[in-house]
Amino acid sequence: MNLIFLGAPGAGKGTQAEIVCEKLGIPAISTGNMLREAVKNQTAAGLAAKEYMDRGDLVPDDVVVGILKDRIAMDDAKKGFILDGFPRTVPQAETLDAMGVQIDKVIEIYVPDEKICARLSGRRVCEGCGNSYHVDFKPTKVEGVCDACGAAVVQRIDDKPETVLSRLETYKEKTAPLKDFYAAKGKLVTVEGQEEISETAKLTMAAIEG
Ligand code: AMP
């Protein structure tokens, strides 16, 4: 089962991917998490990506596609995967097609704009494993410490209010056209993402299984 989770920044793609990947026993592959890891480790890809990420712009395709190809080629991805944050543009989706990657379903998690800003301002991520939290909706058990791996949980630089608006613009302009791209292939299912995390997870599983 190869799935794509689509949605605005803060819609809950990462959180839902964490839940669904456990249920289905397939990895969640987040290009954002991999890029943040690359920035932290100061790899060539990380150095090339950092300035774009800090501004809330998309990282050039050659950098992202390279990282994604390597990850998809790993053994644990052979039985399927959830892509979270890739593709981000129609050309990236065409690249996936050209790579021969078959996509079974594209799940759009829809949250209206007015809820997105509150979601992003309270979002925190683990510096170690990349797990997502929210100060109100999904707090860590111990403040500032990841439940899963014990590393520090911090606010992303690009979740600061000044960057959020530009990321939403980028989503509308460059990523939202993917909805039509996948709807035309009969693969798009939209899930309501503004309720509780567990409720959205039920809807997401129903959309995958339906
Ligand atoms: P995310 O964690 O998905 O919100 O991604 C964080 C940042 O990483 C984005 O704002 C982009 O700068 C970069 N990024 C993640 N995925 C992609 C992608 N598929 N194409 C280009 N840039 C990406």
Side-chain angles (χ1 to χ4, degrees), residues 25-188:
I26 54 177
I29 298 180
S30 157
T31 43
N33 281 357
M34 288 190 288
L35 286 167
R36 277 185 288 281
E37 184 70 20
V39 169
K40 195 171 79 182
N41 295 332
Q42 300 193 336
T43 66
L47 294 173
K50 185 175 181 345
E51 60 173 301
Y52 296 93
M53 295 177 76
D54 287 352
R55 282 201 304 266
D57 288 341
L58 294 183
V59 171
D61 282 356
D62 56 334
V63 178
V64 185
V65 170
I67 284 186
L68 182 87
K69 270 190 183 158
D70 291 348
R71 180 64 187 87
I72 283 184
M74 288 168 79
D75 269 355
D76 66 337
K78 297 271 187 294
K79 54 186 189 282
F81 47 76
I82 302 170
L83 295 184
D84 158 16
F86 191 98
R88 228 27 178 247
T89 61
V90 171
Q92 287 185 4
E94 289 166 347
T95 302
L96 263 189
D97 284 347
M99 284 161 60
V101 175
Q102 299 294 326
I103 298 298
D104 297 293
K105 272 189 186 168
V106 178
I107 311 292
E108 182 207 4
I109 303 178
Y110 174 72
V111 174
D113 279 3
E114 57 272 22
K115 297 220 166 170
I116 290 287
C117 290
R119 292 258 186 117
L120 291 177
S121 62
R123 171 157 76 178
R124 300 291 180 269
V125 294
C126 172
E127 283 185 321
C129 68
N131 270 8
S132 318
Y133 296 92
H134 189 283
V135 291
D136 299 319
F137 310 131
K138 191 189 168 194
T140 50
K141 292 192 182 98
V142 177
E143 200 183 324
V145 179
C146 177
D147 294 352
C149 77
V153 166
V154 298
Q155 183 172 40
R156 283 168 45 172
I157 294 173
D158 60 347
D159 276 349
K160 305 257 155 80
E162 53 278 23
T163 322
V164 162
L165 286 180
S166 110
R167 288 169 61 211
L168 276 176
E169 286 294 306
T170 303
Y171 177 76
K172 285 190 182 142
E173 190 191 322
K174 302 205 166 130
T175 308
L178 285 172
K179 290 191 254 175
D180 285 344
F181 181 90
Y182 286 115
K185 295 175 187 279
K187 296 197 168 156
L188 184 76

